[in-house]
Amino acid sequence: MSQGYVAKIGVVGSAIAGLSAALGVAKAGHHATIFGPPPTALTGALQLAPNGYQALASLGALDALTPAITRLDAIEIRSARTNSTLSIIDHERPQRRDYGAIGRGALVNGLYQLAKAHPRISFDEASVQSITATQEDTSLITQDTAQHAFDLIIGADGTNGLTRRIIGASQTPAPRDRHALRAACPSS
């Protein structure tokens, strides 16, 4: 997108990925509308490595989330069968100072509060029913039959979400216990 242009971007998904995408879009000077219900209580925690801290800082979220982060001195890897220690990863060494953990609920709540306060982010709690693209724009239709036009739509609604099916992921993802996605977006 050309410099100075303020794009209208739709974000399908209102959990960690969608909130993070919207904060990044808003920080770049564009307007984001997040579609989906407010995030629900999430369980579990995420380990933060140095790049995780950098990602939170780049979104302007690190200061707000720091009180919820527990510093990790080490990670102990245990056998699920015997509960015996398999390995210990020491984070006390100087090059490994920036390791921590944050509860998923604390992370999503912190991101949600930051997004709600941001003047370039709006919310629509309706679920998305369909997405269409033309030469001029990309539109989505919500459950209340409202049509919304955007310059770009970001799919952050999970591996089984509507956006994955629409972009042509013809094969159903293999069932897994864990999923990961990394993406980098230029800031200008």
Side-chain angles (χ1 to χ4, degrees):
M1 300 190 188
S2 63
Q3 191 169 351
Y5 178 74
V6 177
K8 279 182 55 180
I9 299 177
V11 179
V12 181
S14 57
I16 294 169
L19 293 165
S20 297
L23 286 166
V25 162
K27 185 175 180 194
H30 305 290
H31 178 79
T33 301
I34 300 172
F35 288 88
T40 57
L42 299 175
T43 60
L46 300 172
Q47 179 185 343
L48 292 175
N51 61 342
Y53 282 92
Q54 290 169 349
L56 292 175
S58 74
L59 293 174
L62 184 58
D63 290 342
L65 291 171
T66 295
I69 297 171
T70 301
R71 184 174 159 6
L72 298 177
D73 296 329
I75 295 175
E76 187 172 347
I77 302 170
R78 296 180 159 267
S79 167
R81 288 191 184 111
T82 66
N83 200 31
S84 62
T85 300
L86 301 174
S87 180
I88 295 176
I89 302 170
D90 178 17
H91 293 313
E92 283 297 314
R93 291 182 279 160
Q95 70 270 27
R96 291 195 171 177
R97 282 189 306 236
D98 292 330
Y99 282 81
I102 186 168
R104 289 171 37 129
L107 177 59
V108 76
N109 184 53
L111 294 173
Y112 181 73
Q113 295 307 319
L114 288 168
K116 286 293 276 187
H118 202 292
R120 290 192 173 154
I121 298 175
S122 59
F123 288 81
D124 188 322
E125 293 184 15
S127 64
V128 176
Q129 299 300 307
S130 66
I131 299 173
T132 59
T134 66
Q135 291 285 344
E136 292 79 36
D137 63 24
T138 304
S139 297
L140 56 80
I141 298 175
T142 52
Q143 67 191 30
D144 57 2
T145 68
Q147 183 168 345
H148 307 267
F150 294 98
D151 297 305
L152 175 72
I153 292 176
I154 297 173
D157 55 344
T159 56
N160 294 318
L162 175 67
T163 54
R164 181 179 174 86
R165 292 191 304 271
I166 289 173
I167 61 170
S170 58
Q171 296 179 350
T172 302
R176 294 200 170 102
D177 293 328
R178 296 167 188 85
H179 298 279
L181 170 68
R182 288 190 179 189
C185 302
S187 59
S188 58

